[in-house]
Amino acid sequence: MAKVVDVELQAVFKRFGSFVAVDGIDLTVERGHFVTLLGPSGCGKTTTLRMIGGLEYPDSGNILVAGQHLSADLGAARPTRMVFQNYALFPHMTVAENVAFGLRMQKLPKADIATRVREIIALLGLTDHIAKYPRQMSGGQQQRVALARALVTRPRVLLLDEPLGALDLKMRKHMQNELKKLQREVGITFVYVTHDQAEAMFLSDSIVVMDQGRIVQQGTPADIYRYPQTAYVADFIGEANILPGSFDTRQGDEGSVTTALGVMRGSIAAGFQPQAQQRVLLSIRPEHVLLGAALGGADFAAIGKVVDLAYLGGVSRVGIAMNGLTLHADCPGLFQGAEGDTVSFGWKAADLRLLAHDDRFSDGKGDA
């Protein structure tokens, strides 16, 4: 069956004065998917979301929702709705009145409005709060009201701009579970913005990683974590040791690199074509750094000095220094050693990613 695309961006540019906020991006979002735009402040993710929602307009390029070009005169007929971090509820309206607002703007019959409001309020567990005002509710309850108000209009696409950012950690985790469950139940396409990579990994069917107004990688959480295509993605998604080196030779999908730790092999990122003696970067996740007896089958091994230790519950984070570089390893349970000890460490070539050089990650510290 052919895939249905709910959102499509074609060579979209957006500038604010001399600042390029969105730099010619192409993006497709399939119907029913939970897609997250991820990146730090200033990367262009919120501007992109606001353009999809019609709150900003591109300087060039096309934006289509449900196959139709967005235009400024759609108003309440737009096929998108947006949920903001600050909820944007009307303080003088009850929960029921807030949720009904969009339906009233669409001039639906009163009986239909009442039925749809009751249904969405029940779905979001707000029936006991239907007569309350926003000031009488917790942050998590207010966020659910904002979601209900957006969903009751049955949009083609729901846009969420860091909607959990104002909540405390416990409530944020709870609402992440609620959001994921809700999206599965209603089946509506969600486009979500966050700078929190753990939140993106938990919620998303697909993550769109943005950097300086551009999309640098898109894929499932597992693919982006396991196969980062740039040092920026490796560093931003999860944690990674980033090591500088000089490219030697290539054999198939693997390359040999000379580093301060020695010569090692790693898998070359898709699309990267390094040349001999070219500066490159290597990425290895802390959980893939093997220590001591776990080194059996490793393709690279060396000996370093333990420079810091932290017990994190399920794992110990071990800092290892060698030849001016520092990297971190996560080993299961409690590490049986102390700062100042020497320790053998290494990894398998399949777990080492060979990436293009990026000056932002070339300090040689390799910190996770």
Side-chain angles (χ1 to χ4, degrees):
M1 189 170 67
K3 296 176 181 177
V4 178
V5 174
D6 268 352
V7 179
E8 185 173 3
L9 277 65
Q10 302 168 341
V12 171
F13 285 84
K14 179 65 179 179
R15 301 172 181 83
F16 296 101
S18 61
F19 176 68
V20 180
V22 176
D23 193 2
I25 67 172
D26 298 293
L27 175 67
T28 58
V29 178
E30 294 178 20
R31 179 180 295 180
H33 281 212
F34 196 127
V35 175
T36 296
L37 307 181
L38 176 67
S41 298
C43 73
K45 58 187 186 297
T46 294
T47 300
T48 299
L49 191 80
R50 289 175 63 84
M51 287 192 291
I52 296 171
L55 302 179
E56 302 279 356
Y57 292 93
D59 296 318
S60 61
N62 298 307
I63 299 177
L64 296 87
V65 177
Q68 301 296 314
H69 288 269
L70 291 183
S71 60
D73 58 358
L74 285 175
R78 258 190 214 104
T80 62
R81 289 292 180 271
M82 186 172 286
V83 178
F84 300 93
Q85 183 180 127
N86 63 358
Y87 317 136
L89 300 176
F90 298 111
H92 61 287
M93 292 184 183
T94 65
V95 168
E97 291 166 341
N98 264 286
V99 174
F101 181 79
L103 299 178
R104 293 203 301 270
M105 293 299 99
Q106 293 177 350
K107 303 186 184 304
L108 266 64
K110 289 184 177 179
D112 291 348
I113 292 175
T115 298
R116 285 169 62 170
V117 167
R118 282 196 304 271
E119 289 174 350
I120 197 68
I121 282 178
L123 178 65
L124 283 157
L126 292 166
T127 302
D128 292 343
H129 307 283
I130 194 167
K132 289 183 179 179
Y133 292 90
R135 65 179 180 276
Q136 298 172 309
M137 307 178 76
S138 68
Q141 290 167 343
Q142 290 183 52
Q143 189 57 274
R144 278 187 279 164
V145 176
L147 286 165
R149 185 177 62 182
L151 289 169
V152 75
T153 61
R154 297 173 183 171
R156 185 67 171 264
V157 180
L158 185 65
L159 310 172
L160 303 104
D161 187 9
E162 305 217 35
L164 310 183
L167 303 178
D168 62 53
L169 180 60
K170 185 175 181 179
M171 180 55 70
R172 188 181 182 106
K173 294 292 186 184
H174 173 72
M175 285 302 298
Q176 287 173 7
N177 282 290
E178 292 292 313
L179 265 180
K180 191 170 186 176
K181 177 182 176 183
L182 175 66
Q183 196 271 337
R184 299 293 187 268
E185 289 180 352
V186 299
I188 290 174
T189 302
F190 278 28
V191 182
Y192 192 93
V193 158
T194 185
H195 63 275
D196 185 329
Q197 52 90 13
E199 184 169 273
M201 295 280 285
F202 178 76
L203 290 172
S204 311
D205 298 314
S206 177
I207 296 175
V208 178
V209 186
M210 298 190 68
D211 181 24
Q212 299 176 341
R214 298 176 182 174
I215 294 173
V216 291
Q217 190 168 346
Q218 180 178 2
T220 65
D223 282 346
I224 287 183
Y225 185 84
R226 294 174 61 195
Y227 309 114
Q229 293 177 4
T230 68
Y232 170 84
V233 174
D235 181 72
F236 196 80
I237 303 294
E239 297 180 342
N241 299 288
I242 308 292
L243 309 173
S246 175
F247 185 75
D248 296 327
T249 59
R250 178 171 190 151
Q251 287 187 323
D253 293 331
E254 287 190 348
S256 175
V257 179
T258 298
T259 75
L261 303 181
V263 177
M264 57 190 69
R265 291 185 293 112
S267 60
I268 301 174
F272 184 34
Q273 299 290 335
Q275 303 300 312
Q277 298 184 339
Q278 179 179 340
R279 296 170 72 194
V280 296
L281 293 172
L282 297 165
S283 168
I284 183 77
R285 300 288 185 189
E287 66 268 26
H288 292 149
V289 179
L290 308 173
L291 300 180
L295 275 171
D299 298 299
F300 170 80
I303 296 176
K305 181 179 179 180
V306 177
V307 291
D308 62 71
L309 280 172
Y311 181 56
L312 306 179
V315 299
S316 293
R317 173 66 55 86
V318 184
I320 305 165
M322 178 185 172
N323 293 349
L325 295 179
T326 301
L327 55 85
H328 289 90
D330 286 347
C331 66
L334 185 63
F335 177 69
Q336 300 299 315
E339 290 186 25
D341 289 352
T342 57
V343 62
S344 55
F345 67 94
W347 45 75
K348 298 178 180 179
D351 294 327
L352 188 71
R353 294 286 288 169
L354 202 161
L355 309 165
H357 180 80
D358 185 328
D359 284 337
R360 294 174 294 178
F361 306 95
S362 60
D363 60 10
K365 293 181 179 179
D367 291 339

